[in-house]
Short mmCIF file of all heavy atoms in Angstrom, two decimals:
data_model
loop_
_atom_site.label_atom_id
_atom_site.label_comp_id
_atom_site.label_asym_id
_atom_site.label_seq_id
_atom_site.Cartn_x
_atom_site.Cartn_y
_atom_site.Cartn_z
N LEU A 178 58.95 113.55 -160.76
CA LEU A 178 60.24 113.24 -160.15
C LEU A 178 61.25 113.00 -161.26
O LEU A 178 61.16 112.03 -161.99
CB LEU A 178 60.12 111.98 -159.29
CG LEU A 178 59.24 112.11 -158.06
CD1 LEU A 178 59.05 110.75 -157.40
CD2 LEU A 178 59.83 113.10 -157.07
N TYR A 179 62.23 113.87 -161.34
CA TYR A 179 63.25 113.72 -162.38
C TYR A 179 64.08 112.47 -162.10
O TYR A 179 64.21 112.02 -160.96
CB TYR A 179 64.14 114.97 -162.40
CG TYR A 179 65.12 115.01 -163.52
CD1 TYR A 179 64.69 115.06 -164.85
CD2 TYR A 179 66.48 114.97 -163.29
CE1 TYR A 179 65.59 115.08 -165.89
CE2 TYR A 179 67.39 114.99 -164.32
CZ TYR A 179 66.95 115.04 -165.62
OH TYR A 179 67.85 115.06 -166.65
N VAL A 180 64.70 111.92 -163.13
CA VAL A 180 65.41 110.65 -163.01
C VAL A 180 66.48 110.67 -161.92
O VAL A 180 66.72 109.66 -161.24
CB VAL A 180 66.00 110.23 -164.38
CG1 VAL A 180 66.91 111.29 -164.94
CG2 VAL A 180 66.73 108.92 -164.28
N SER A 181 67.13 111.83 -161.72
CA SER A 181 68.17 111.89 -160.68
C SER A 181 67.59 111.61 -159.31
O SER A 181 68.27 111.05 -158.44
CB SER A 181 68.84 113.26 -160.67
OG SER A 181 69.39 113.55 -161.93
N VAL A 182 66.33 111.99 -159.12
CA VAL A 182 65.69 111.72 -157.83
C VAL A 182 65.55 110.22 -157.63
O VAL A 182 65.78 109.72 -156.53
CB VAL A 182 64.31 112.40 -157.75
CG1 VAL A 182 63.61 112.05 -156.45
CG2 VAL A 182 64.45 113.90 -157.88
N TRP A 183 65.20 109.49 -158.70
CA TRP A 183 65.09 108.03 -158.56
C TRP A 183 66.42 107.45 -158.11
O TRP A 183 66.47 106.61 -157.20
CB TRP A 183 64.73 107.35 -159.87
CG TRP A 183 63.65 107.95 -160.70
CD1 TRP A 183 62.69 108.85 -160.33
CD2 TRP A 183 63.42 107.68 -162.07
NE1 TRP A 183 61.90 109.15 -161.39
CE2 TRP A 183 62.31 108.43 -162.48
CE3 TRP A 183 64.05 106.83 -163.00
CZ2 TRP A 183 61.83 108.41 -163.77
CZ3 TRP A 183 63.56 106.80 -164.29
CH2 TRP A 183 62.46 107.58 -164.66
N TYR A 184 67.51 107.86 -158.78
CA TYR A 184 68.81 107.29 -158.45
C TYR A 184 69.21 107.62 -157.01
O TYR A 184 69.70 106.77 -156.28
CB TYR A 184 69.88 107.83 -159.41
CG TYR A 184 69.95 107.09 -160.72
CD1 TYR A 184 69.43 107.65 -161.89
CD2 TYR A 184 70.56 105.85 -160.80
CE1 TYR A 184 69.52 106.97 -163.10
CE2 TYR A 184 70.65 105.17 -162.01
CZ TYR A 184 70.13 105.73 -163.15
OH TYR A 184 70.21 105.06 -164.35
N ILE A 185 68.99 108.87 -156.60
CA ILE A 185 69.42 109.27 -155.26
C ILE A 185 68.57 108.56 -154.20
O ILE A 185 69.09 107.99 -153.24
CB ILE A 185 69.33 110.80 -155.09
CG1 ILE A 185 70.39 111.46 -156.00
CG2 ILE A 185 69.57 111.20 -153.65
CD1 ILE A 185 70.29 112.98 -156.02
N GLY A 231 73.02 109.61 -161.03
CA GLY A 231 72.02 110.66 -160.84
C GLY A 231 72.61 112.03 -161.08
O GLY A 231 71.97 112.91 -161.69
N TYR A 234 73.11 112.63 -164.86
CA TYR A 234 71.83 112.92 -165.51
C TYR A 234 71.36 114.35 -165.27
O TYR A 234 70.54 114.87 -166.01
CB TYR A 234 70.76 111.95 -165.03
CG TYR A 234 70.57 110.77 -165.94
CD1 TYR A 234 70.87 109.48 -165.53
CD2 TYR A 234 70.08 110.96 -167.22
CE1 TYR A 234 70.70 108.41 -166.38
CE2 TYR A 234 69.90 109.89 -168.08
CZ TYR A 234 70.21 108.61 -167.65
OH TYR A 234 70.04 107.55 -168.50
N ILE A 245 67.94 115.83 -171.59
CA ILE A 245 68.65 114.61 -171.91
C ILE A 245 68.04 114.00 -173.18
O ILE A 245 66.87 114.19 -173.48
CB ILE A 245 68.56 113.63 -170.70
CG1 ILE A 245 69.69 112.63 -170.72
CG2 ILE A 245 67.23 112.91 -170.63
CD1 ILE A 245 70.98 113.17 -170.18
N TYR A 248 64.37 110.38 -172.54
CA TYR A 248 63.93 110.04 -171.19
C TYR A 248 63.47 108.59 -171.11
O TYR A 248 63.57 107.95 -170.06
CB TYR A 248 62.81 110.99 -170.76
CG TYR A 248 62.76 111.23 -169.28
CD1 TYR A 248 63.81 111.87 -168.62
CD2 TYR A 248 61.69 110.79 -168.52
CE1 TYR A 248 63.77 112.09 -167.27
CE2 TYR A 248 61.64 111.01 -167.16
CZ TYR A 248 62.68 111.66 -166.53
OH TYR A 248 62.64 111.88 -165.18
N SER A 251 66.32 106.61 -170.14
CA SER A 251 66.73 106.75 -168.74
C SER A 251 65.83 105.90 -167.84
O SER A 251 66.29 105.34 -166.86
CB SER A 251 66.73 108.21 -168.28
OG SER A 251 65.61 108.89 -168.73
N LEU A 252 64.58 105.78 -168.25
CA LEU A 252 63.66 104.91 -167.53
C LEU A 252 64.13 103.46 -167.60
O LEU A 252 64.28 102.76 -166.60
CB LEU A 252 62.29 105.03 -168.18
CG LEU A 252 61.11 104.46 -167.46
CD1 LEU A 252 60.84 105.30 -166.24
CD2 LEU A 252 59.90 104.48 -168.38
N PHE A 255 67.40 102.93 -165.62
CA PHE A 255 67.30 102.87 -164.17
C PHE A 255 66.76 101.53 -163.70
O PHE A 255 67.34 100.88 -162.83
CB PHE A 255 66.41 103.99 -163.63
CG PHE A 255 66.22 103.92 -162.14
CD1 PHE A 255 67.23 104.31 -161.28
CD2 PHE A 255 65.04 103.43 -161.59
CE1 PHE A 255 67.07 104.22 -159.90
CE2 PHE A 255 64.88 103.34 -160.21
CZ PHE A 255 65.89 103.75 -159.36
N GLN B 39 58.73 115.30 -168.67
CA GLN B 39 59.46 114.99 -167.43
C GLN B 39 60.94 115.30 -167.57
O GLN B 39 61.59 115.65 -166.59
CB GLN B 39 59.26 113.52 -167.08
CG GLN B 39 57.83 113.19 -166.67
CD GLN B 39 57.73 111.80 -166.05
OE1 GLN B 39 58.66 111.33 -165.44
NE2 GLN B 39 56.60 111.16 -166.23
#
Side-chain angles (χ1 to χ4, degrees):
Chain A
L178 294 172
Y179 187 64
V180 57
S181 303
V182 177
W183 315 343
Y184 277 105
I185 293 174
Y234 264 115
I245 203 80
Y248 210 65
S251 43
L252 193 70
F255 177 75
Chain B
Q39 292 192 31

